[in-house]
Amino acid sequence: MAPNAAHETTRVIAVSRLLVVEDDETIGSVLESSLRAHGHQVGWQRTGRGALHAASETDFDLVLLDLGLPDLDGVEVCRQLRASNPTAVLVILTARTDEMDVVVGLEAGADDYLTKPVRLAELLARVRAHLRRVAPVNPGAHPMLTVGDLVVDTGSRRVTVAGREMPLRAKEFDLLARLAAAPESAISRETLMAQVWDENWFGPTKTLDVHVAALRRKLAGMAAVGAVPRITTLRGHGYRLEAPRGS
Ligand code: CA
């Protein structure tokens, strides 16, 4: 299945590998879970040495680096990360309002900075902008399909709502992935049957209705967790996945 027919209407991004370097447990866990909920692979290190070790094993796409670390000078960590991961986007976080930290950090190879207290919405927007810049959409990669708080990971075949997993049967997953590949678009029953079940399928489509009903139940069950899209029936045609209001 290739849910890449509708890039214009879909937020398709390749999975990005992010590293959070933060010794503050509260801030670190908020950053980690928020970035995960947005479909990223996220590692979290609490020390400079841990960060350098992790970066020696993985090519990260983006690193969020707190400058005030317990073991090493954050600016020196920044310099070494830049040397070991030349293509990574480095964003420094500093509690200090001293402009010198920012200047020194940028000179040490950082691409951007955010001052604490970090506003989560701003951080997520910056991360998204950086990742879009460095990693343009690659239709060949397994896309992450995002509609509201729903994330369909077509690589791992996992579906989450605001970071919480929504277990699905194989065909339920295929159907949701097809709908999520073109949110707000009308998709005919024939198209869904052909692409989700069998290319040469000509019989009645009761099985489609059963799977849609199951998906609706499961999506409704996640409504308390986050903003979930809904599946609208288009009489005489098919279905349309609609983003939650306000998203
Ligand atoms: Ca710190």
Side-chain angles (χ1 to χ4, degrees), residues 194-241:
Q195 295 184 350
V196 176
W197 274 272
D198 180 348
E199 283 183 68
N200 301 309
W201 208 95
F202 294 109
T205 54
K206 179 72 182 161
T207 187
L208 173 59
D209 300 309
V210 171
H211 281 76
V212 167
L215 276 180
R216 280 180 174 147
R217 265 197 310 280
K218 292 185 177 183
L219 286 168
M222 299 300 274
V225 176
V228 291
R230 77 201 161 110
I231 303 171
T232 298
T233 301
L234 305 172
R235 299 241 170 266
H237 183 72
Y239 294 98
R240 180 174 62 217
L241 190 71

Side-chain angles (χ1 to χ4, degrees), residues 113-209:
Y113 69 95
L114 287 163
T115 50
K116 292 182 179 177
V118 171
R119 287 171 52 247
L120 198 54
E122 183 186 1
L123 180 140
L124 291 169
R126 291 267 198 108
V127 166
R128 193 159 50 233
H130 280 301
L131 291 176
R132 190 179 294 137
R133 179 172 57 78
V134 298
V137 169
N138 173 8
H142 291 303
M144 303 286 287
L145 308 170
T146 305
V147 185
D149 288 337
L150 177 84
V151 177
V152 180
D153 181 344
T154 61
S156 67
R157 293 180 63 85
R158 287 174 57 161
V159 174
T160 55
V161 173
R164 185 173 313 169
E165 189 156 8
M166 183 169 90
L168 294 178
R169 290 161 180 256
K171 287 301 177 193
E172 291 170 355
F173 177 91
D174 291 342
L175 176 59
L176 182 59
R178 180 61 189 84
L179 291 167
E184 314 298 337
S185 301
I187 305 175
S188 73
R189 301 177 66 87
E190 290 71 19
T191 297
L192 291 170
M193 289 309 300
Q195 295 184 350
V196 176
W197 274 272
D198 180 348
E199 283 183 68
N200 301 309
W201 208 95
F202 294 109
T205 54
K206 179 72 182 161
T207 187
L208 173 59
D209 300 309

Side-chain angles (χ1 to χ4, degrees), residues 21-41:
V21 187
E22 172 61 78
D23 59 311
D24 183 295
E25 288 291 325
T26 306
I27 297 172
S29 72
V30 166
L31 293 180
E32 184 194 38
S33 60
S34 303
L35 292 166
R36 278 224 174 111
H38 283 74
H40 303 296
Q41 282 179 17

